[in-house]
Amino acid sequence: MSTTTTTTVTDTTPAAPAPPGQPGIAYAPDYQKWQARAAQRLASETLPTTLPEGFPSQLDGDLVWEGDKLAETYDWTYVLNEDQLAEIDRATQHFESLGLSLGHLTPKTFPLPTLHAELRRLSRELHTGHGFFVLRGLRVDDHTRKQNAIIYAGVSSHIAAQRGRQDHKFDGKPADVVLTHIKDLRGDKIAAGAPPSQVFHTDSGDIVSLFALATAAAGGASKVASTWRVYNEIARTRPDLIHVLSKDWDYEVFEKAGKQWTERPLMFHSEATDSRPERIALQYARRYFVGFGALPRSPDIPPISEAQAEALDTLHFLRDKFCVNTNFQKGDMQYVNNLAVFHARDGFTDSPEQKRHLLRLWLRDPKDAWETPEVLRPRWAQLYEGITPESQVFPLEPYIRSASNKGR
């Protein structure tokens, strides 16, 4: 496994104004506040000492891992060899010869006769193994921007066939935007400091993937942590917080809707069946409950409770304890099971010569996908249903998404 030295860029995430009645909690987690809140609640409240009915006391399997030990048993970096890179180049040339739009990228139009089996094995690693991996070795500078997009979507189609909708508009018109760019667009006048880090969270959908066209001059480390390892720790030490996480929260809705929030849990339990094992899944992002920078939580939404505030911090600090840095490099493609693994990103510093630029796909593999919790199905329908090859848009340059300031 490749190991590299990373530079941590220290940044201060601006605190959003708190709505009335909101506990003292911000987007940037505060360890001392977390400890004080936990001590206060343990001393003043009668908390459940057993888990919710049906929830497992502990989970086991490959998905239960700790970052400081994981490298001993799992090499999460798959390095493409010269023959595989040549096969990818041939597939790119073949697709270009077809004259099709990028929405038609599939394993048939982007054929990888020998690499396909390895990519399917890695897909199973996402769904039944450790929950993440990195493909390494792609030579970004040897290809045009469009060719890199073709390679990214083409390779990814062998891992997970469906691409999710990340925006409903492009150039002011309705569109199924399936590829987005992650790049600091603030400009030199504003970007004097590092963009704030992103604390641990999940994206929407089954799989989130990132392709590094360029990395930052410093910082920007990509980190992942096992949901199941965090679950085991909370179940063992604070079963009352499993109750909190598995009950409804008031979750802000940023799309146009009749109501500004919806009620749903953050944590989901599914029992074992003849075809699948028992699972715990988690879907959430901290900013929806505490605000972020100039985007506060709406005062029209009920404030979160002290118990929910403690649960959010508990998730963060345990993930931070058990996480691993994937050593994300230029040309890497990272794939993460969004229901089973959290991800985060350190603050970073760009330079005129070196600016962080990633591409992102939201993916789903119909064959091996985890069952979608019922309350999440409307959101999954927004992501994956009604998309045709002809409707898919792949912007080749960064743009501000129509819901970027408040979207997922």
Side-chain angles (χ1 to χ4, degrees):
M1 180 180 306
S2 172
T3 58
T4 60
T5 301
T6 60
T7 301
T8 299
V9 174
T10 302
D11 62 84
T12 303
T13 303
Q22 183 86 339
I25 184 171
Y27 180 77
D30 185 313
Y31 184 85
Q32 298 303 323
K33 284 186 177 181
W34 171 52
Q35 293 290 284
R37 178 173 284 117
Q40 172 65 24
R41 294 193 63 240
L42 287 168
S44 63
E45 299 181 36
T46 302
L47 304 174
T49 57
T50 59
L51 293 165
E53 184 177 356
F55 276 65
S57 59
Q58 296 281 277
L59 293 160
D60 56 25
D62 287 343
L63 195 50
V64 180
W65 48 261
E66 298 180 13
D68 61 352
K69 301 176 182 176
L70 184 59
E72 299 171 7
T73 58
Y74 177 51
D75 187 350
W76 59 81
T77 305
Y78 186 94
V79 182
L80 296 162
N81 62 39
E82 291 298 326
D83 289 341
Q84 291 167 332
L85 291 170
E87 186 169 273
I88 290 171
D89 283 343
R90 288 193 296 272
T92 304
Q93 294 166 7
H94 173 75
F95 181 79
E96 289 179 314
S97 74
L98 299 176
L100 298 172
S101 66
L102 273 62
H104 290 83
L105 280 158
T106 69
K108 288 185 178 180
T109 61
F110 194 87
L112 298 172
T114 60
L115 184 55
H116 173 80
E118 284 295 279
L119 296 178
R120 292 308 301 160
R121 179 185 66 79
L122 291 169
S123 180
R124 290 189 292 273
E125 188 67 53
L126 287 178
H127 295 92
T128 61
H130 295 81
F132 78 101
F133 67 88
V134 174
L135 281 181
R136 179 161 294 165
L138 288 159
R139 298 171 183 138
V140 171
D141 295 336
D142 289 353
H143 303 96
T144 66
R145 177 67 56 77
K146 184 176 181 180
Q147 287 173 332
N148 278 314
I150 290 171
I151 290 169
Y152 184 29
V155 168
S156 297
S157 72
H158 292 260
I159 295 165
Q162 285 182 273
R163 291 181 283 270
R165 184 187 286 113
Q166 299 187 57
D167 200 352
H168 296 265
K169 291 182 180 180
F170 184 68
D171 281 344
K173 301 176 182 178
D176 293 330
V177 180
V178 297
L179 178 78
T180 56
H181 297 250
I182 300 175
K183 188 176 184 181
D184 186 2
L185 299 178
R186 296 177 300 170
D188 295 336
K189 292 181 180 179
I190 300 175
S197 61
Q198 289 188 347
V199 300
F200 283 99
H201 64 285
T202 67
D203 281 16
S204 293
D206 283 16
I207 299 166
V208 57
S209 174
L210 297 171
F211 179 25
L213 297 181
T215 55
S222 179
K223 298 177 180 179
V224 294
S226 162
T227 295
W228 285 19
R229 179 63 186 92
V230 170
Y231 172 86
N232 283 352
E233 191 71 9
I234 299 174
R236 182 180 67 83
T237 60
R238 289 293 303 277
D240 60 290
L241 294 179
I242 301 297
H243 286 265
V244 175
L245 292 165
S246 60
K247 291 180 179 177
D248 281 347
W249 293 50
D250 294 322
Y251 203 105
E252 190 162 5
V253 175
F254 293 131
E255 293 85 358
K256 291 182 180 179
K259 187 178 178 182
Q260 209 171 351
W261 74 92
T262 186
E263 296 87 8
R264 72 161 178 84
L266 307 192
M267 182 176 285
F268 305 90
H269 171 246
S270 60
E271 297 180 353
T273 69
D274 292 340
S275 59
R276 69 170 188 268
E278 180 177 37
R279 287 172 174 158
I280 290 290
L282 192 139
Q283 269 272 309
Y284 91 109
R286 184 181 177 99
R287 68 172 64 196
Y288 290 87
F289 306 104
V290 302
F292 178 81
L295 302 171
R297 181 174 170 90
S298 170
D300 297 327
I301 303 175
I304 66 173
S305 67
E306 289 288 339
Q308 289 173 327
E310 186 193 353
L312 287 176
D313 279 344
T314 300
L315 287 174
H316 173 80
F317 287 109
L318 289 180
R319 289 172 310 202
D320 199 47
K321 177 180 179 181
F322 297 131
C323 76
V324 67
N325 178 358
T326 62
N327 297 318
F328 210 32
Q329 300 177 15
K330 181 176 180 176
D332 282 0
M333 294 182 185
Q334 177 176 286
Y335 297 83
V336 174
N337 181 330
N338 231 359
L339 294 164
V341 173
F342 310 99
H343 62 279
R345 188 258 300 152
D346 283 350
F348 65 89
T349 298
D350 281 339
S351 69
E353 298 78 22
Q354 190 170 347
K355 296 184 178 182
R356 184 177 185 268
H357 187 179
L358 311 180
L359 301 180
R360 183 176 70 186
L361 292 170
W362 285 344
L363 304 167
R364 178 176 172 84
D365 179 18
K367 181 178 180 181
D368 293 327
W370 286 22
E371 182 180 9
T372 306
E374 184 174 355
V375 72
L376 294 180
R377 289 175 187 172
R379 175 59 180 157
W380 261 234
Q382 290 178 340
L383 295 176
Y384 297 114
E385 292 183 5
I387 300 177
T388 66
E390 293 77 16
S391 71
Q392 294 178 41
V393 174
F394 291 72
L396 296 182
E397 295 297 331
Y399 77 103
I400 298 176
R401 292 191 298 152
S402 64
S404 178
N405 286 336
K406 285 209 165 187
R408 290 172 177 83

